[in-house]
Amino acid sequence: MAVSVRTAAASYASVEEPRPRQQSTGRKSRGIHDGRMDRLQGSAWQYVAEVLHAEDLPMIAAHALVDGHDSPALRELAGLSRRSDAAEIREVYVQALDELDIHLPDEETAGRRLLVSLAFGLVRRELSPKEVTDRLSMTVAAHTQEETQFLSIAAEYSEWIGPDDLPAWEHDLQAAARSLAVSTDLDPSISVQVSLPE
């Protein structure tokens, strides 16, 4: 059973039924089969993990077009303003993923990807230990022993940790991050670089 900061979550906030659209005759996904998860694919788990907000999605779509994806809904999404209706943005985003055969993961998988991305961010020195704890949210989840250990140590942080205890906590967190990084089977190629959960 997965360990999660959110112990009793209802299924992921229901997504509106996509509007009927004319099928694309030229869906394209060129130049993105290099074994790494691209930005649009990475956005799917970040969306479910509530790292991405609706206002982030039009820019994600614009980048996806540059990366080689193409579909009617993706072009429509790229043309929307950040200030467009959030429900409309989410609907068009989900339709774009569907047109490109990119599936939204379940909550547990998305939460594990978030946790793994934080561990890799720490190992690669893209994030400090404090930044890791700042980016923990109710959506993170742990399934393996290494994930559970990393999450448990990260969750121990408090602003009341004394200066004498802080180095030991940071050392333990970095060690747990390295252990998770070498053991995980999840793709670490997409980092969390967008809006933090409010």
Side-chain angles (χ1 to χ4, degrees):
M1 179 180 296
V3 176
S4 175
V5 173
R6 177 168 51 197
T7 55
S11 29
Y12 182 65
S14 61
V15 178
E16 301 87 1
E17 286 296 322
R19 297 177 296 194
R21 294 179 184 274
Q22 183 176 358
Q23 291 295 320
S24 168
T25 57
R27 291 188 292 181
K28 292 185 287 185
S29 185
R30 65 180 185 279
I32 54 174
H33 302 293
D34 60 356
R36 291 170 61 85
M37 183 185 296
D38 77 347
R39 284 179 288 194
L40 185 60
Q41 292 171 321
S43 76
W45 72 256
Q46 294 184 49
Y47 177 76
V48 175
E50 301 176 11
V51 175
L52 278 173
H53 302 303
E55 60 264 27
D56 299 312
L57 299 177
M59 184 58 68
I60 292 288
H63 285 305
L65 289 170
V66 173
D67 288 342
H69 292 290
D70 190 19
S71 83
L74 189 67
R75 292 193 295 271
E76 179 180 348
L77 179 59
L80 292 177
S81 165
R82 287 173 56 89
R83 298 180 179 84
S84 298
D85 179 71
E88 179 186 7
I89 292 176
R90 286 192 291 267
E91 179 184 350
V92 178
Y93 171 74
V94 172
Q95 181 66 24
L97 294 186
D98 182 66
E99 289 176 356
L100 294 166
D101 297 321
I102 298 175
H103 304 290
L104 289 170
D106 58 68
E107 273 194 326
E108 180 183 329
T109 300
R112 291 179 63 208
R113 285 195 179 280
L114 174 55
L115 190 68
V116 168
S117 75
L118 294 175
F120 271 92
L122 185 59
V123 169
R124 294 168 175 167
R125 299 185 179 180
E126 298 168 352
L127 297 174
S128 69
K130 176 62 166 56
E131 288 172 327
V132 168
T133 63
D134 288 343
R135 293 168 190 242
L136 289 178
S137 74
M138 297 296 287
T139 61
V140 294
H143 182 71
T144 68
Q145 179 178 347
E146 292 81 7
E147 291 168 359
T148 302
Q149 177 74 357
F150 179 68
L151 177 57
S152 297
I153 295 173
E156 289 174 359
Y157 177 80
S158 164
E159 61 182 14
W160 305 113
I161 291 182
D164 294 337
D165 298 325
L166 189 60
W169 172 79
E170 291 180 340
H171 176 272
D172 290 346
L173 185 66
Q174 290 165 344
R178 289 192 295 270
S179 178
L180 175 53
V182 300
S183 66
T184 187
D185 59 352
L186 297 178
D187 189 334
S189 60
I190 296 295
S191 300
V192 177
Q193 300 173 335
V194 292
S195 306
L196 299 180
E198 297 179 351

